[in-house]
Amino acid sequence: MEIVKEETRENKMGVMPVNKLLLTMSIPMVISMMIQALYNVVDSIFVARINENALTAVSLVFPVQSIMIAVSTGTCVGVNAILSKRLGEKRLEEADKTANIAVLLSILSYGVFLIIGLFCSEFFFSVQTGEAQIIAYGASYMRIVCCCSFGLFLQVCFERLLQSTGRTFYTMLMQGTGAIINIILDPIMIFGYLGFPKMGIAGAAVATVTGQIIAMLLGLFFNRKVNHEIHLSIRKMVFDREIIKEIYKIGVPAILMQSIGSVMVFLMNKILLGFTSTATAVFGIYFKLQSFVFMPIFGLSNGLVPIVAYNYGAKNRDRMIKAVKYSMFYAIGFMCLGMLLAECVPGSLLLMFDASESMLAIGIPAIRILCTCFVLAGFNIIASSLFQAVGDSIYSLVMSAIRQLIVLLPAAYLLSLTGNLDAVWLSFPIAEIAALIVSSALLKKVLKKLNF
């Protein structure tokens, strides 16, 4: 029975028309990530109803949440690429081992952030601001999301195991369920509806981790019931030095790549606080809004990685190239739509967060400037996914460093010296152009390497 299932899965990854396969793999991920983006925005909308300091606190804690996501998804990028490649090579026992080690690594990663949440929450905020209310709000929120982050780590792990075997529909159900639960619980927990105590910003954190934990439990169920290529068992969760080394050969650059984003947000917030805390709140709102545009592209790239990795293992260059070309077409097209929307109605988008006149004055030009880099980012994201899928994750790290660290932060700092806040936002399109130049050169190099 398992042999039949394996052949069916192989036919899907190795034989199905590439465009159909990409859409089949990606659309569930795009839908689930759009729902994920929706709950991120709704979370901030409800928090903004408390006051602007609460919104600023959530914006300042974003780097910590991003690092948790970076560690979990970065590790699982390595797992995803290796697991799909092993299945393509028909090394099924190693694929099974990889899946179980992924769960073990996720549990160990959670332990690190449990300690951070317990002992570092107040310190993290005190080094960013002297505003007592922001520190109190932020420390409360951060402590809850870190100490209960086992739901996040295992949810991401179970999602990636399903993606690796082509079952992205179930990842959509996982993420969708968790996000919807979060959206429902947000107003209940924050404002104390339906007999619940009024918890304020802590309620937003409780709603978030509850959604993650339920999604995690659903993911465990799906992997045990429908993911027949792998078999999860506590007895199999043992260290294998070679597999762990291979996972982190791909995973560490991916972790660093996404962690760079957290460093960028932290330091950018420091630059913006030099102008006004409202600028920091605007930057936080922008990140929530841009997720509606970027999350579908990440969903597309998540569907692309196992397709490329599988066919890389099977040495089918033609299918790999076709998958990348279709992904580029869809990513750039979607980014164009996102840019058009942001350019046309930035004020309406900000008003969803109870934007004051001062916030509108800062936010409208900011969003119009920032969204000009969307199209370039679409190209760079797909190129990064190709690099990860074929084991060249260091290239993705280089691109991310250029986009969010090497070019962006020095440009933002230098432009801030002009005393013109609008000039600071120009650092984003400048960095994206630099990344495009580098990614194009690296893409040409990788494609030459793929001449099997």
Side-chain angles (χ1 to χ4, degrees), residues 310-331:
Y310 181 91
N311 286 284
Y312 182 50
K315 297 191 181 300
N316 193 330
R317 183 181 188 275
D318 183 58
R319 289 178 64 80
M320 293 171 63
I321 300 301
K322 282 183 179 178
V324 173
K325 284 182 177 179
Y326 281 122
S327 297
M328 287 286 188
F329 174 77
Y330 293 130

Side-chain angles (χ1 to χ4, degrees), residues 250 252-258 260 380 383-384 387-388 392-408 431-432 434-443 445:
I250 298 173
V252 167
I255 291 170
L256 293 176
M257 181 176 67
Q258 294 183 68
I260 285 171
N380 290 330
S384 290
F387 301 152
Q388 291 170 359
D392 288 324
S393 292
I394 191 67
Y395 292 166
S396 297
L397 176 60
V398 169
M399 285 174 54
S400 185
I402 291 171
R403 292 175 64 207
Q404 303 182 79
L405 198 65
I406 296 172
V407 175
L408 177 64
E432 211 66 65
L436 177 68
I437 294 170
V438 174
S439 68
S440 298
L442 293 175
L443 187 60
K445 183 178 180 180

Side-chain angles (χ1 to χ4, degrees), residues 28-29 31-33 35 155 159 162 167-181 211 214-216 218-219 221-222 226:
M29 290 305 304
I31 293 172
S32 63
M33 287 196 167
I35 297 171
Q155 175 192 346
E159 284 173 4
L162 290 163
R167 293 180 171 86
T168 54
F169 173 76
Y170 294 99
T171 65
M172 178 185 71
L173 293 181
M174 285 175 60
Q175 285 196 344
T177 301
I180 290 169
I181 287 170
I214 291 174
M216 172 201 75
L218 200 55
F221 173 78
F222 286 148
V226 303

Side-chain angles (χ1 to χ4, degrees), residues 149 385 424 435:
S149 62
S385 298
V424 176

